[in-house]
Amino acid sequence: MKEEQRITGLHGAGGEVMGEFLAERVLPKFGDRSSGRIGLEALDDGATIDLPTGAELVVTTDSHVVKPIFFPGGNIGTLAAAGTINDLAVMGAKPLALTLAAVIEERFPIGDFERILDAFAEVLDTVRVPLACGDTKVMPPGDVDGIVLNTTGIGAASPAIGDASFSPGDRVIVTGSIGDHGMALLAAREEFRLATALASDVAALWPLIECALSVGGVRAMKDPTRGGLAAAMNEMARKAHLCLEIDEPSIPVKDSVGGMADLLGISPYEVANEGKAILIVDADHANGILDVLKAHPLGADAALIGTVTDEHPGRVILATAVGGRRFLDMPLGDPVPRIC
Amino acid sequence: MKEEQRITGLHGAGGEVMGEFLAERVLPKFGDRSSGRIGLEALDDGATIDLPTGAELVVTTDSHVVKPIFFPGGNIGTLAAAGTINDLAVMGAKPLALTLAAVIEERFPIGDFERILDAFAEVLDTVRVPLACGDTKVMPPGDVDGIVLNTTGIGAASPAIGDASFSPGDRVIVTGSIGDHGMALLAAREEFRLATALASDVAALWPLIECALSVGGVRAMKDPTRGGLAAAMNEMARKAHLCLEIDEPSIPVKDSVGGMADLLGISPYEVANEGKAILIVDADHANGILDVLKAHPLGADAALIGTVTDEHPGRVILATAVGGRRFLDMPLGDPVPRIC
């Protein structure tokens, strides 16, 4: 008898397995109509909806299952609000409103729920965005572990910016240090319980992205969450059928993050970031964009890390400090579950 | 030592306890700004977002935790798509796009996930609405029971219709029989496993509501989901500070649903419906609206069930067959968890 196929952690881990699963099993069911210019099939950070008026709305949705719920640098509420705002921001969309749906385990402390809502509200305040509507469901113990949040964000763009409209010669920028969120979460996990100074980078990036957009020349953006920098850059390279050639020593990685990565044997390029974006910009604007990013508190560690080429279409190449070159592959998935 | 306050099932059950919790603990955190004319604080089926162009978007979000996942008449996918479309429809909004976020337990059968997606897609097809974007998260066994879906819907209205803008003399219409979904779910539960002919009424109501709107005179609408007809009508009466006087024998309840209700000792007015709406309409248009509803397959059992008065502001009164009158109270919550 043929064994029934079952969902594994990799189906939701943002890497190679999830991508194939979506392409083969999910997208074909919804192929008959598209919401707008950038639809479901683009598998971008969000999708566009054409309005009768000709403007473009951007919509994005995410569930948040992070564990632990409270972590150095924030909590699941911070993550839900910032994560959704960032998905809008990297589409070039000014956030208009967010939704918040909570699924809560019975006997979850109301005080903890309020701290989560306070953190969510605090992020909305920083970008002056309203919560439009919400939903609360409670499940018996054993049916859900703690709390799961879902947020949808709606933004306005003119027009929306995808993640693949770039050309050879364009430059690659990251807005700050890589790997902070994932490594902080891992260190805080019960199985490690490491006392470190690591903290998540979780932050709402719209104010930073807005500055970059004002310079002009932004071709494509993406926030490197699940699967980290490696997954995000591979997705961009594949979609554009171009190569991202990255100068590894230019990638900002904090010493504490690099140390933890070595200790755990996990690449800092493969874990989630929650307050960083990758920008691909035209060469003429690269320095101007870098300057405005570095002038903003959220972009102080921004760096120019690479160039778009047509050498190995669909691949990401790391040029190492000693002159070597290697492919940075798409990770199979996040190294551990429930990172965001 | 004071015991820590904890979440209970009633906090998510759509009744009195949830309403107080939202008003006292949640809304104050988000009071600084509103998305539009009908904001979070209205606690309506959805909220409006003002667009720069002057049009109104309607947005609504819901998590779906129904158990069993497959039930007579549909599955969690049918429910997620139809429930969200219905929340838009009762705001007078034509659905533009939906989002779908799935949180899945590891080892969940992929075949079952595909059946759920097929059901979701089938509902979208009936209303010709695209899935704009999605998200997939996988949790280890024990962290989530089976599958939880979240859907957000975005629609366009000109203008949106709230649930409380009615006046004495207006008439109350329900679009069909009451209690079908809740009773079918209860009968299908493991603890009952009753072999009945009951089936959920789950259906996307936009095509039906669109017909009613074309007649004119629709003042307010609501879909009686969690907490059933009793919760929905009490919410409307309270918000409008008016009384809904309902002629009980006019409320359509199928014999099979009434029989199950008697057997379980649960009121058919207090369980969720997933393919019905309450319309409050002006008296001059009532018969015209009833006619178009009854001419549509989804509204064949529509009925005029009552009148708006100012006799007992904020209350719902049932006039019984034998001439008695009693209050239909707001339920504390749904009689059982995970009904929708």
Side-chain angles (χ1 to χ4, degrees):
Chain A
M1 209 174 83
K2 200 178 139 204
E3 209 197 338
E4 196 170 22
Q5 288 185 298
R6 292 180 181 272
I7 294 284
T8 71
L10 290 176
H11 286 108
E16 191 78 74
V17 175
M18 187 172 102
E20 279 175 17
F21 178 66
L22 292 176
E24 289 168 18
R25 304 290 195 103
V26 178
L27 296 189
K29 299 184 193 299
F30 298 99
D32 292 349
R33 56 189 72 82
S34 184
S35 61
R37 191 170 54 89
I38 303 175
L40 179 70
E41 69 289 347
L43 292 177
D44 206 324
D45 303 277
T48 62
I49 297 177
D50 294 331
L51 288 180
T53 55
E56 272 185 331
L57 280 182
V58 176
V59 58
T60 181
T61 195
D62 261 312
S63 295
H64 308 274
V65 298
V66 67
K67 190 174 183 173
I69 292 166
F70 296 90
F71 50 79
N75 64 46
I76 191 173
T78 332
L79 194 64
T84 298
I85 289 164
N86 293 349
D87 278 335
L88 293 176
V90 295
M91 301 280 295
K94 177 185 169 67
L96 293 175
L98 260 65
T99 69
L100 175 61
V103 177
I104 317 174
E105 182 180 359
E106 255 182 65
R107 300 201 44 77
F108 191 80
I110 289 182
D112 283 357
F113 184 49
E114 291 210 46
R115 282 168 66 199
I116 291 166
L117 292 177
D118 285 335
F120 190 92
E122 195 181 315
V123 175
L124 292 195
D125 282 344
T126 66
V127 286
R128 291 190 284 279
V129 172
L131 175 64
C133 56
D135 180 53
T136 317
K137 293 286 191 316
V138 176
M139 283 167 95
D143 285 3
V144 66
D145 178 36
I147 185 167
V148 171
L149 298 182
N150 176 279
T151 39
T152 297
I154 297 163
S158 48
I161 297 174
D163 55 7
S165 305
F166 48 87
S167 312
D170 288 343
R171 299 298 159 85
V172 183
I173 289 174
V174 290
T175 63
S177 60
I178 291 301
D180 299 36
H181 176 78
M183 287 301 164
L185 263 281
L186 285 175
R189 284 281 169 85
E190 279 176 22
E191 58 267 38
F192 301 119
R193 282 260 184 82
L194 296 166
T196 69
L198 294 175
S200 168
D201 59 348
V202 59
L205 292 176
W206 172 245
L208 179 70
I209 300 290
E210 198 176 18
C211 293
L213 292 174
S214 70
V215 177
V218 176
R219 299 289 180 85
M221 294 187 278
K222 204 160 188 69
D223 61 334
T225 54
R226 271 185 292 182
L229 191 76
M233 291 204 309
N234 272 285
E235 282 173 25
M236 295 177 101
R238 287 180 186 187
K239 280 177 74 171
H241 305 291
L242 290 170
C243 175
L244 302 185
E245 177 143 355
I246 307 298
D247 174 47
E248 185 165 21
S250 307
I251 303 175
V253 177
K254 289 179 180 157
D255 288 344
S256 54
V257 170
M260 176 65 67
D262 288 344
L263 187 68
L264 299 177
I266 290 173
S267 166
Y269 307 145
E270 295 194 0
V271 299
N273 307 273
E274 294 291 346
K276 303 293 154 54
I278 301 167
L279 278 63
I280 300 187
V281 306
D282 79 40
D284 291 344
H285 290 81
N287 285 323
I289 289 170
L290 196 63
D291 287 345
V292 302
L293 290 174
K294 291 173 85 75
H296 193 285
L298 291 170
D301 297 325
L304 197 59
I305 61 168
T307 303
V308 178
T309 76
D310 50 13
E311 195 187 352
H312 294 277
R315 303 300 299 267
V316 179
I317 291 176
L318 283 185
T320 62
V322 292
R325 295 170 88 231
R326 63 179 176 94
F327 287 121
L328 178 66
D329 287 321
M330 173 70 95
L332 278 173
D334 243 325
V336 286
R338 300 187 62 179
I339 206 79
C340 60
Chain B
M1 210 173 88
K2 201 177 137 205
E3 209 198 337
E4 197 170 21
Q5 288 185 296
R6 291 178 182 274
I7 294 284
T8 71
L10 290 176
H11 287 107
E16 189 79 73
V17 174
M18 188 173 100
E20 279 174 18
F21 178 67
L22 292 176
E24 288 167 18
R25 304 290 195 103
V26 178
L27 296 189
K29 298 184 193 301
F30 298 99
D32 293 349
R33 57 189 71 83
S34 183
S35 61
R37 192 169 54 87
I38 302 174
L40 180 70
E41 69 291 347
L43 293 176
D44 207 323
D45 303 278
T48 63
I49 297 176
D50 295 331
L51 288 179
T53 54
E56 273 185 330
L57 280 183
V58 176
V59 58
T60 182
T61 195
D62 261 311
S63 295
H64 307 275
V65 298
V66 68
K67 190 174 184 174
I69 291 165
F70 296 91
F71 50 80
N75 65 46
I76 191 172
T78 333
L79 194 64
T84 297
I85 289 163
N86 294 349
D87 278 335
L88 294 176
V90 295
M91 301 280 294
K94 177 185 169 66
L96 293 175
L98 260 64
T99 70
L100 175 61
V103 178
I104 317 175
E105 182 179 359
E106 256 182 64
R107 299 200 44 74
F108 190 80
I110 290 181
D112 284 356
F113 184 49
E114 291 210 47
R115 282 169 65 200
I116 291 166
L117 293 177
D118 285 334
F120 190 92
E122 195 181 315
V123 175
L124 292 195
D125 283 344
T126 65
V127 286
R128 290 191 283 279
V129 172
L131 176 65
C133 57
D135 180 53
T136 316
K137 294 286 190 318
V138 176
M139 284 167 93
D143 286 2
V144 67
D145 178 35
I147 184 167
V148 171
L149 298 182
N150 176 279
T151 40
T152 297
I154 297 163
S158 50
I161 296 174
D163 54 8
S165 304
F166 48 87
S167 312
D170 288 345
R171 299 299 158 86
V172 183
I173 290 173
V174 290
T175 63
S177 60
I178 292 300
D180 299 36
H181 176 78
M183 287 300 163
L185 263 282
L186 284 174
R189 284 280 168 84
E190 279 176 21
E191 57 267 39
F192 300 118
R193 283 262 184 80
L194 296 166
T196 69
L198 294 175
S200 169
D201 59 347
V202 60
L205 293 177
W206 172 245
L208 179 69
I209 300 289
E210 197 177 18
C211 293
L213 292 173
S214 70
V215 177
V218 175
R219 299 289 179 84
M221 294 186 279
K222 204 159 188 71
D223 61 334
T225 53
R226 270 187 292 182
L229 190 75
M233 291 206 307
N234 271 284
E235 281 173 25
M236 296 178 101
R238 286 180 186 185
K239 280 177 76 172
H241 305 292
L242 290 170
C243 176
L244 302 184
E245 178 145 351
I246 307 299
D247 174 48
E248 186 166 19
S250 307
I251 303 174
V253 177
K254 288 179 181 158
D255 287 345
S256 54
V257 170
M260 176 63 67
D262 288 343
L263 186 69
L264 299 177
I266 289 173
S267 167
Y269 308 146
E270 295 194 0
V271 299
N273 307 273
E274 295 292 345
K276 303 294 154 52
I278 302 167
L279 279 63
I280 299 187
V281 306
D282 78 39
D284 291 345
H285 290 81
N287 285 322
I289 290 170
L290 196 63
D291 287 345
V292 301
L293 291 174
K294 289 173 84 76
H296 193 284
L298 290 170
D301 297 324
L304 195 59
I305 62 168
T307 304
V308 179
T309 76
D310 51 11
E311 195 187 353
H312 293 278
R315 303 300 297 271
V316 180
I317 291 176
L318 283 186
T320 62
V322 292
R325 296 170 87 232
R326 64 180 177 91
F327 288 121
L328 179 67
D329 288 322
M330 173 71 96
L332 278 171
D334 243 324
V336 287
R338 302 187 61 181
I339 206 80
C340 58

